């Protein structure tokens, strides 16, 4: 017993010492917005020669970040951006102003997604920094955000007035800083740009609560104690970009274009937008945090989210979505077949291809859903399969195809299960015939 105590004492000491070292080298980030100016201020506990960034997709900071003090410069050196003093001397504080417009960064989320009210989403991952240089294991940073009285901050599933503090990590999150009142419900917070054309704004405002409630009723409550955040922002400016994505507990889409009204003439554009939100909302309620670790198993959660989006739209908007779902399904099947002619679905991730997991995955989950409904005469659906899968995951502490297939056992015939497994693992002589056969089983 004594030895154990001694060991845990030593361990405690090690952690304490390490924490002290980390704190000493930490770069604190202070973000503020005064009038229309965005400031970021970095402070360090000891002097540093440079401040480096964790994420360096290109040299955009050298053009968009300006020091408030002439003695500093932002430089690009060996594919990394740094802040340093022009005279090379060490420092412990530097303040910069940021350009809060939308810009495309290679393979990264945009640093700003502006809203029409003058507010914006800012990506905190863009701000994470280190003293001198960032090691491979550099992760996040301590953030403090301050705004004026008439402005609020939305982050971490909360609405903050005046100021907020937290430790960011991994890819960070989008933080809304602005004046638009959010839609706040028990299950989520959403900010849909007030200046979006009515044709898209009304469906979004109406459908987001419905989609979230629909999934909660079928899959149970969202498990994280951070409320999901949904953001839709719009810049009516020259450009044709639409950027959407997800970060933990949030989904966002930004339209950076001056022809949105033109695009909205196509009814499918609206349905496709609702589909995107429904897909991401489905991920919230799939509630399997370890899914996605093994990319080759992405057909499980991505295919499921695609099919759940179809089910949600069919339920909530039958009059607009039926033909759209049919079109999506045909497209998914055709593209899936094309891929399976060249390589196995299981190998797509190794080739850097992820689209097949959505498309073949949607076919797989739609077939499971159909067979489940048939066999149970409508009593069970894909939602029941997924709930069972979630429960086995929790007990087993991991998620993978083995557990998923085990969860389907009581819902679908074994020949369907075998056929679906072959669709993932085998090189098929005729993928098209194989899928047709599975549908007909
Ligand atoms: Zn997804």
């Amino acid at each position: 017993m004594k030895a154990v105590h001694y060991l845990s004492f030593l361990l405690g000491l090690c952690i304490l010492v390490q924490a002290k070292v980390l704190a000493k080298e930490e770069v604190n980030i202070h973000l503020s917005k005064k009038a229309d100016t965005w400031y970021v201020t970095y402070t360090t506990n000891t002097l540093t020669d440079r401040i480096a960034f964790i994420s360096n997709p290109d040299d955009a900071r050298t053009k968009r970040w300006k020091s408030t003090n002439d003695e500093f410069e932002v430089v690009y050196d060996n594919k990394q951006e740094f802040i340093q003093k022009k005279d090379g001397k060490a420092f412990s504080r530097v303040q910069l102003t940021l350009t809060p417009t939308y810009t495309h960064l290679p393979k990264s989320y945009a640093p700003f997604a502006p809203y029409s009210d003058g507010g914006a989403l800012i990506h905190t991952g863009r701000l994470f920094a280190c003293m001198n240089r960032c090691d491979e294991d550099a992760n996040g940073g301590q953030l403090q955000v301050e705004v004026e009285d008439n402005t609020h901050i939305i982050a971490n599933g909360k609405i903050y007035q005046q100021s907020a503090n937290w430790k960011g990590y991994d890819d960070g999150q989008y933080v809304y800083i602005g004046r638009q009142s959010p839609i706040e419900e028990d299950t989520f917070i959403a900010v849909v740009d007030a200046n979006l054309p009515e044709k898209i704004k009304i469906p979004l405002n109406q459908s987001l609560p419905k989609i979230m409630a629909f999934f909660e009723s079928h899959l149970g409550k969202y498990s994280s104690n951070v409320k999901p955040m949904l953001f839709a922002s719009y810049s009516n400016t020259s450009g044709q970009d639409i950027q959407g994505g997800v970060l933990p507990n949030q989904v966002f889409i930004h339209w950076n274009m001056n022809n949105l009204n033109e695009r909205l003439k196509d009814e499918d554009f609206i349905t496709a937008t609702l589909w995107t939100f429904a897909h991401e909302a489905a991920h919230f309620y799939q509630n399997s945090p370890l899914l996605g670790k093994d990319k080759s198993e992405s057909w499980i959660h991505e295919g499921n989210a695609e099919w759940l989006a179809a089910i949600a739209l069919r339920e909530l908007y039958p009059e607009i979505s039926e033909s759209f779902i049919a079109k999506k399904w045909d497209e998914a099947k055709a593209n899936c077949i094309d891929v399976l002619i060249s390589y196995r679905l299981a190998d797509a991730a190794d080739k850097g291809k992820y689209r097949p997991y959505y498309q073949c995955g949607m076919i797989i989950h739609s077939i499971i859903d159909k067979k489940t409904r048939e066999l149970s005469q409508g009593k069970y659906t894909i939602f029941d399969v997924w709930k069972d899968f979630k429960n086995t995951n929790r007990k087993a502490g991991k998620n993978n195809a083995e557990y998923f297939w085990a969860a389907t056992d009581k819902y679908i015939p074994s020949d369907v299960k075998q056929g679906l497994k072959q669709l993932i693992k085998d090189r098929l002589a005729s993928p098209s015939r194989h899928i047709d056969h599975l549908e007909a089983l």
Side-chain angles (χ1 to χ4, degrees), residues 7 15 19-20 25 36 68 87 97 125 180 189 204 237 268 279 289-290 320 330 335 370 397 412 420:
L7 194 70
I15 290 164
K20 221 171 170 189
E25 290 184 349
D36 288 330
T68 54
D87 62 10
T97 58
Q180 190 182 318
I189 302 175
L204 274 174
T237 177
D268 280 357
H279 172 110
L290 294 175
I320 57 162
D330 289 345
N335 290 347
K370 185 167 164 248
I412 60 171
L420 290 170

Side-chain angles (χ1 to χ4, degrees), residues 279-280 283 302 358:
H279 172 110
E280 303 306 345
H283 284 319
E302 296 302 356
Y358 292 67

